[in-house]
């Protein structure tokens, strides 16, 4: 098992985000993102060079929230890990790298926005409603006394 090193990145959303479903039915966010690059000159000044572009993905609830909140051009900061992948399509081996974000937010140093705190109550009510809609399915059979359980 490969060890994933947590990383932080910042950049801008370079393409229109896409929200798709995985084979397991989980939400998947995908977008290309850009990172500004600068070259330090001998006099100590910096010259802006061409940006580099990379793949950004997120899964499950993080993907759904990001798709609702991010659009092309938005600046962001994210925490996650780099993931190398490879697959075969039409007889050709393809490989690449993507950044899998676990957490993401707008870059407050580059983004002006107002925080609307009013929906907090609505969001809390929606959370309660979702929890109530998820009916508890009790196990079909109860564990026998021979089954190890915590506290026994």
């Amino acid at each position: 098992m490969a060890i994933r090193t947590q990383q932080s990145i910042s950049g801008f959303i370079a393409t229109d985000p896409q929200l798709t479903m995985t084979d397991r039915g989980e939400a998947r966010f995908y977008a290309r993102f850009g990172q500004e690059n600068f070259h330090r000159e001998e006099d100590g000044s910096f010259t802006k060079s061409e940006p580099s572009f990379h793949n950004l993905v997120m899964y499950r609830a993080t993907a759904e929230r990001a798709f609702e909140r991010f659009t092309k051009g938005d600046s962001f900061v994210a925490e996650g890990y780099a993931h190398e992948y490879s697959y075969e399509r039409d007889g050709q081996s393809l490989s690449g790298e993507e950044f899998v974000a676990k957490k993401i937010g707008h870059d407050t140093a580059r983004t002006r926005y107002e925080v609307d705190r009013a929906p907090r109550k609505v969001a809390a009510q929606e959370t309660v409603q979702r929890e109530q809609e998820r009916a508890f399915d009790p196990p079909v059979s109860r564990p026998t006394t021979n089954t190890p359980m915590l506290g026994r």
Side-chain angles (χ1 to χ4, degrees):
M1 180 176 177
I3 296 175
R4 295 179 176 155
T5 304
Q6 285 293 118
Q7 301 174 1
S8 295
I9 62 166
S10 63
F12 60 92
I13 305 292
T15 61
D16 290 325
Q18 300 170 15
L19 186 66
T20 58
M21 299 302 268
T22 66
D23 293 340
R24 290 182 275 178
E26 296 174 335
R28 179 182 183 266
F29 173 102
Y30 170 81
R32 294 280 291 165
F33 75 96
Q35 289 184 301
E36 301 290 343
N37 294 302
F38 294 87
H39 173 74
R40 186 181 184 121
E41 302 295 338
E42 288 182 19
D43 65 0
S45 65
F46 290 90
T47 302
K48 188 175 179 179
S49 55
E50 291 296 314
S52 56
F53 294 93
H54 315 276
N55 297 322
L56 174 67
V57 296
M58 288 168 258
Y59 294 94
R60 296 178 281 290
T62 304
E64 292 171 348
R65 285 190 298 268
F67 187 73
E68 291 172 2
R69 296 181 177 129
F70 285 89
T71 189
K72 184 177 177 179
D74 286 351
S75 294
F76 70 91
V77 292
E79 184 177 299
Y81 60 92
H83 172 251
E84 291 183 14
Y85 61 87
S86 61
Y87 61 95
E88 209 169 297
R89 183 188 318 165
D90 300 328
Q92 287 188 330
S93 291
L94 303 169
S95 63
E97 186 177 72
E98 60 192 6
F99 187 82
V100 181
K102 299 299 221 171
K103 299 176 185 178
I104 189 168
H106 286 93
D107 185 345
T108 59
R110 299 171 189 255
T111 306
R112 280 188 49 180
Y113 61 91
E114 294 181 25
V115 177
D116 180 5
R117 300 218 184 271
R120 279 186 161 179
K121 290 180 184 177
V122 172
Q125 290 170 349
E126 288 174 355
T127 300
V128 169
Q129 183 179 354
R130 275 195 308 270
E131 288 174 0
Q132 289 172 347
E133 289 172 358
R134 293 183 194 152
F136 174 71
D137 294 326
V140 176
S141 64
R142 299 181 62 73
T144 63
T145 55
N146 296 339
T147 306
M149 293 180 68
L150 291 176
R152 284 195 178 174

